[in-house]
Amino acid sequence: GLAEGQVVVQVHSGSRGLGHQVASDYVRQFQSAIHKFNITLPDRELVCAPIESQEGSSYLAAMACAANYAFANRQILTAFVREAFDSILRQTFGDDTMLNQVYDVAHNIAKIEFHNVDGVQEQLCIHRKGATRSFGSETIKATGTLAEFPPAYQASGQPVLVPGSMGTGSWVMVGCDQSTDLSFGSCCHGAGRRMSRSKAKRTIWGSDLKQELEDSGIIVRAKSMAGLAEEAPAAYKDVDIVVEVAHVSGLARRVARIVPIGVIKG
C-alpha cells in the first residue's frame, strides 16, 4: 500500500529498560553456563546456553515478556498517532487521514524456524539482535511460517524495515528467498551505529543539531538536547550504502525510501 508522495509514520520503540535488564541478567548467567555446558566461543560477547537447559528456556521466556511489552508499547504509541492525525487533519482530508499499519517487528527476538543445514532440513532457534527476518515468498511457504503472514505478504515476501537516522532517509525493503542460504533469512534492521551514544553526547551539541535539522526542513521535538544528540545523523552509517549492499547481495530488495519531515525524540 505504499506509494510515492505519501506521509508515513515510523515508530521506533521497544521494551525500554525491561529488555536491557533481561539482556544484562542473562548475559551474566550465560557466562557461567558456557563452562557448565563446555561451550567454546570465539568471542565472549557470544555467550549462550542450550535451549532445553534451565538457563536457555528461562531466557526465551524472559525475552518473550520483553517482546510482548514492546509490541504493546508500540500499539499504544500508534493509537496516539492515529488520534493526532484524526483530530488535526480529518476536517480537511476526511477519511483520507486513516493510517494503516504496514508492519511491526521486534528489534531483538528469537524465532523457531526450519532451515536447510548441509542439505538437511533442521528446526532451529534463530536469534536476531539488531537484525530482522527477511523471508521471500517461497521461503515463507518452506519454513513453516505461512500462518504468521497475511496473504499479501505470503505472495510478496516479508517487509524489511531499515531505519536510517533523524536527518537521513529510511528504507522499506522486502525479503528475498536468497537470504535463506546467505543468512538464515536475515537482513540488517537499521543503518548501524558508527558512534556510541555516549560518544555522540560528548561530541555533538543537541541544540546545534536541532537547529541544523530544522534548517534542512525537518521539524524536531525532543525531551532533552542530550537525548537528541544520542541519535544524531553523524552517529550512524550511511543507510543508502547499507541498503545497497543488502539489495545487491540478495538479502532484501528495495521498495521505498522514506525522507524525514518531522522527528519526535522521547
Side-chain angles (χ1 to χ4, degrees):
L2 295 174
E4 188 174 356
Q6 280 180 326
V7 172
V8 298
V9 179
Q10 291 180 293
V11 176
H12 191 174
S13 184
S15 53
R16 307 300 299 148
L18 174 59
H20 189 278
Q21 189 69 55
V22 166
S24 299
D25 290 350
Y26 282 94
V27 162
R28 281 195 297 271
Q29 284 192 33
F30 285 2
Q31 284 169 347
S32 301
I34 59 172
H35 301 295
K36 175 181 174 181
F37 297 106
N38 296 316
I39 298 171
T40 302
L41 299 173
D43 189 313
R44 66 189 301 272
E45 293 288 325
L46 298 175
V47 287
C48 56
I51 295 175
E52 299 83 2
S53 68
Q54 176 64 44
E55 295 88 344
S57 60
S58 295
Y59 174 58
L60 285 179
M63 181 195 292
C65 291
N68 286 339
Y69 184 113
F71 278 115
N73 183 21
R74 289 191 294 273
Q75 285 176 347
I76 291 168
L77 290 170
T78 301
F80 286 145
V81 170
R82 286 193 168 112
E83 284 184 13
F85 269 65
D86 193 61
S87 64
I88 302 299
L89 300 176
R90 179 171 285 276
Q91 285 185 332
T92 303
F93 296 102
D95 290 339
D96 285 344
T97 60
M98 176 67 71
L99 293 177
N100 297 309
Q101 180 175 294
V102 172
Y103 201 57
D104 188 11
V105 65
H107 179 71
N108 182 8
I109 198 71
K111 295 280 191 180
I112 306 300
E113 301 165 356
F114 288 92
H115 288 276
N116 191 314
V117 181
D118 296 329
V120 179
Q121 191 82 339
E122 301 271 10
Q123 188 178 39
L124 305 176
C125 178
I126 306 296
H127 186 184
R128 297 179 177 95
K129 165 65 175 163
T132 191
R133 200 158 64 174
S134 182
F135 286 179
S137 57
E138 293 304 313
T139 305
I140 290 172
K141 299 169 190 171
T143 52
T145 57
L146 196 65
E148 297 181 28
F149 296 96
Y153 295 155
Q154 292 176 19
S156 68
Q158 179 172 13
V160 174
L161 306 180
V162 188
S165 75
M166 297 185 297
T168 63
S170 294
W171 284 88
V172 177
M173 306 182 76
V174 67
C176 293
D177 293 313
Q178 189 177 338
S179 70
T180 312
D181 296 327
L182 294 171
S183 60
F184 291 105
S186 306
C187 185
C188 58
H189 183 44
R193 281 188 167 270
R194 68 165 90 227
M195 191 185 297
S196 68
R197 285 182 171 84
S198 56
K199 183 176 180 180
K201 286 195 289 187
R202 289 196 308 270
T203 57
I204 297 167
W205 199 247
S207 56
D208 291 344
L209 172 61
K210 183 175 186 292
Q211 189 61 55
E212 288 173 15
L213 290 170
E214 292 187 340
D215 286 347
S216 67
I218 302 170
I219 299 169
V220 181
R221 297 291 182 270
K223 183 178 180 181
S224 72
M225 291 300 102
L228 192 67
E230 286 182 352
E231 302 300 326
Y236 287 88
K237 299 171 187 173
D238 186 326
V239 68
D240 294 333
I241 294 176
V242 171
V243 164
E244 173 74 10
V245 172
H247 179 86
V248 170
S249 65
L251 294 177
R253 180 170 53 81
R254 287 180 295 223
V255 173
R257 189 173 189 269
I258 303 170
V259 179
I261 56 175
V263 175
I264 301 172
K265 175 66 174 72

